[in-house]
Amino acid sequence: MKKFLAVLLAVLMVFAICSCEKKVDEQQSENEETENVVDAPEENAEEAGEEAGDDAGEEAGEDETPAENSTITMATNAYFKPYEFYEGDKIVGIDAEIAEEIAKKLGKELVIEDMEFSTIITAVQEGSVDFGMAGMTVTEERKESVDFSSSYANGVQSIIVKEDSPITSVDDLYADGASYKVGVQLGTTGDIYSTDDFGEDNVIQYSKGNEAVLALVGGSVDCVIIDDEPAKALVAENEGLKILDTSYADEDYAICVAKGNGDLLAAINAAIDELTLDGTIDAIVAKYIK
Ligand code: GLN
């Protein structure tokens, strides 16, 4: 009897141990399932992002939000044909198209903000936009406020007069006793240089180039000093005007970025180099300047 009880006890103990181990196994596999469930959405999300070729999905893992990351904002003044102007409610032109190509190379969507020309540098400095591109001339003074990319185009300051004007060459503006009223667009190099040359009292500033030209047509100024390509467009749009053969200044156009924004400047310069080498910039310019 004792022997029987001992065997029974032994059998019961083995049984108890086995069932206990089984419980632990079950618990472990339950835990594993829970982990899988937790892992699954991440894996799925990654796969979905990869399948969609979605850069924003990968960037979302970084600290910045996708919205901040996926767009790049350019400040311009869209009354500067053929570099930037409105076609319907869209801003088009040489700068707009080159900027679009640069943004593509940077993997960003381009957003264009239209503002007064004289506020572009401040917007860039404050960081409310990423860069300024507006047929903007590189000057030593501006270089103290912003950094410039390599130049992507040359500009010329031209002089617009009425067809019957006594001003026949740039020299007439400097002649002894000459006192002509010069119309300019506020904050442009035409404004800065002619204020230096002819004095504040002889320079009248307008917020847009076409307003200066309307003043010339109306007789409130004797000439307008403005960049050559916009000058051609404005003369074509208004009767009785001509551009003098002699120009007022030669300049380089470039993109400006906030000082210290070296990464963006390097990326923009690399894009400009590539777009110059592969002929994209020439092709864009040829589309607008015949
Ligand atoms: N090139 C001139 C400047 O930089 C004018 C530019 C403009 O009016 N958009 O001042």
Side-chain angles (χ1 to χ4, degrees), residues 80 84 117 134-137 142 157 185 187-189 227 251 253:
F80 198 69
E84 37 268 328
F117 182 80
M136 187 180 283
T137 304
R142 288 175 183 163
Q157 292 296 313
Q185 185 186 351
T188 61
T189 46
D227 300 54
E251 335 186 286
Y253 291 166

Side-chain angles (χ1 to χ4, degrees), residues 76-80 83-84 95 117 120 133-139 142 148 155-157 185-193 207 209 226-227 230 251-253:
T76 199
N77 174 248
Y79 296 89
F80 198 69
Y83 292 91
E84 37 268 328
D95 287 348
F117 182 80
I120 294 174
M133 188 173 192
M136 187 180 283
T137 304
V138 180
T139 71
R142 288 175 183 163
F148 281 99
V156 171
Q157 292 296 313
Q185 185 186 351
L186 177 72
T188 61
T189 46
D191 177 12
I192 298 160
Y193 301 157
S207 74
I226 192 165
D227 300 54
E251 335 186 286
D252 289 319
Y253 291 166

Side-chain angles (χ1 to χ4, degrees), residues 39-287:
D39 278 345
E42 272 175 23
E43 275 172 22
N44 288 344
E46 268 170 33
E47 276 164 27
E50 278 160 24
E51 269 163 30
D54 184 359
D55 286 343
E58 283 164 34
E59 284 170 6
E62 294 166 18
D63 281 340
E64 295 166 33
T65 64
E68 278 168 353
N69 257 341
S70 57
T71 61
I72 188 160
T73 307
M74 151 180 164
T76 199
N77 174 248
Y79 296 89
F80 198 69
K81 228 172 175 175
Y83 292 91
E84 37 268 328
F85 58 99
Y86 281 96
E87 222 170 58
D89 56 6
K90 192 169 184 266
I91 296 172
V92 297
I94 295 171
D95 287 348
E97 285 202 30
I98 295 175
E100 192 71 54
E101 294 298 326
I102 293 174
K104 250 190 242 166
K105 289 208 179 279
L106 270 53
K108 313 266 182 184
E109 187 196 330
L110 181 70
V111 175
I112 302 182
E113 261 188 46
D114 185 17
M115 58 185 72
E116 295 293 325
F117 182 80
S118 55
T119 63
I120 294 174
I121 286 186
T122 311
V124 168
Q125 281 180 303
E126 285 172 351
S128 62
V129 296
D130 296 299
F131 66 93
M133 188 173 192
M136 187 180 283
T137 304
V138 180
T139 71
E140 290 308 313
E141 200 185 330
R142 288 175 183 163
K143 275 193 202 166
E144 285 168 20
S145 315
V146 285
D147 286 338
F148 281 99
S149 70
S150 38
S151 174
Y152 62 89
N154 295 113
V156 171
Q157 292 296 313
S158 283
I159 303 165
I160 309 176
V161 292
K162 281 191 176 171
E163 273 167 357
D164 59 357
S165 172
I167 306 169
T168 57
S169 95
V170 64
D171 296 336
D172 291 340
L173 294 176
Y174 295 99
D176 276 351
S179 171
Y180 294 113
K181 294 273 180 244
V182 180
V184 295
Q185 185 186 351
L186 177 72
T188 61
T189 46
D191 177 12
I192 298 160
Y193 301 157
S194 57
T195 303
D196 274 356
D197 287 349
F198 312 117
E200 251 174 47
D201 290 349
N202 290 318
V203 177
I204 303 180
Q205 300 155 321
Y206 299 88
S207 74
K208 294 184 181 74
N210 71 318
E211 289 168 9
V213 167
L214 288 179
L216 174 63
V217 171
S220 355
V221 296
D222 300 302
C223 68
V224 170
I225 295 183
I226 192 165
D227 300 54
D228 195 44
E229 288 303 329
K232 286 182 197 161
L234 290 164
V235 166
E237 284 162 16
N238 293 275
E239 298 242 315
L241 302 179
K242 65 177 182 187
I243 298 172
L244 295 185
D245 292 337
T246 45
S247 63
Y248 178 60
D250 290 323
E251 335 186 286
D252 289 319
Y253 291 166
I255 293 172
C256 67
V257 301
K259 277 204 166 292
N261 204 346
D263 287 351
L264 179 60
L265 191 63
I268 289 175
N269 278 337
I272 291 176
D273 280 354
E274 286 172 30
L275 296 168
T276 305
L277 280 175
D278 71 7
T280 306
I281 291 186
D282 278 350
I284 292 171
V285 171
K287 230 174 106 176

